[in-house]
Amino acid sequence: ANTAWAFAKLGVANEPLMHAVAHRILRGNFVDRFNCKDIANTAWAYAMLDIPHRPLLDRFAQRMRQHRFLATFNSRALANTVWAFARLGFDEARTMNAVAERVTDRGFLHTFRPQEVSNIAWAFAKRGISHTGLMDAVGEHLLQPEVLVAYSPHDV
């Protein structure tokens, strides 16, 4: 996760290397040992470098759907992962529905910073995924007086 992140942070789009890293992650069954931050950082790296690797994304999605694993994601890790998925054109329905359910867990949305709420809404819209429960929860969240005033022009 850290190597992929470093290359993305520096803007070095070495596609053969990133494919080799993905294959090593998959062949080594590393995803089962990845925590939410590892998945978020790795997905973010591939998205920033615009290198979609479908088998890696599929494996991340599968891991995210494993029992209780999605509950380990904090707002930042979840927003970054979903943003990366959308940017790479990945929209596996079961995972996106599970993400929407996680976001709407009681009290979880209140832990999101404005950019994270925006990233979640953008990702679902970008992929054309209409999840009424998620959008209703985001709308209710934004209608709270103390919430919307914290949003920048970009976040709104």
Side-chain angles (χ1 to χ4, degrees):
N2 289 336
T3 300
W5 181 89
F7 273 76
K9 183 71 174 169
L10 296 172
V12 179
N14 184 330
E15 199 162 333
L17 173 65
M18 295 305 287
H19 282 290
V21 166
H23 287 289
R24 177 66 181 129
I25 290 169
L26 294 170
R27 278 194 308 260
N29 204 23
F30 293 168
V31 177
D32 284 337
R33 296 188 303 248
F34 272 15
N35 61 35
C36 64
K37 186 176 178 183
D38 295 329
I39 288 177
N41 287 347
T42 306
W44 177 88
Y46 281 81
M48 289 301 293
L49 297 173
D50 197 24
I51 300 174
H53 193 283
R54 182 66 190 226
L56 183 62
L57 298 176
D58 284 337
R59 185 64 187 95
F60 286 165
Q62 181 184 28
R63 174 77 169 120
M64 290 170 71
R65 292 189 317 271
Q66 286 177 344
H67 180 67
R68 308 267 322 135
F69 185 68
L70 201 54
T72 68
F73 277 70
N74 62 27
S75 59
R76 182 176 183 176
L78 192 58
N80 287 348
T81 302
V82 174
W83 174 88
F85 282 1
R87 181 155 182 201
L88 291 170
F90 184 77
D91 58 5
E92 197 275 326
R94 290 179 299 162
T95 302
M96 297 304 281
N97 283 331
V99 165
E101 294 302 317
R102 171 66 177 126
V103 171
T104 58
D105 278 351
R106 184 176 183 94
F108 187 51
L109 193 53
H110 296 288
T111 68
F112 281 63
R113 295 184 331 220
Q115 181 67 49
E116 296 161 353
V117 174
S118 297
N119 284 357
I120 293 284
W122 177 88
F124 276 77
K126 174 78 173 165
R127 300 308 308 150
I129 302 168
S130 179
H131 191 285
T132 304
L134 173 67
M135 297 315 286
D136 286 349
V138 169
E140 287 176 28
H141 177 70
L142 293 174
L143 284 173
Q144 296 177 25
E146 72 278 6
V147 173
L148 198 53
V149 297
Y151 278 59
S152 73
H154 177 75
D155 296 327
V156 170

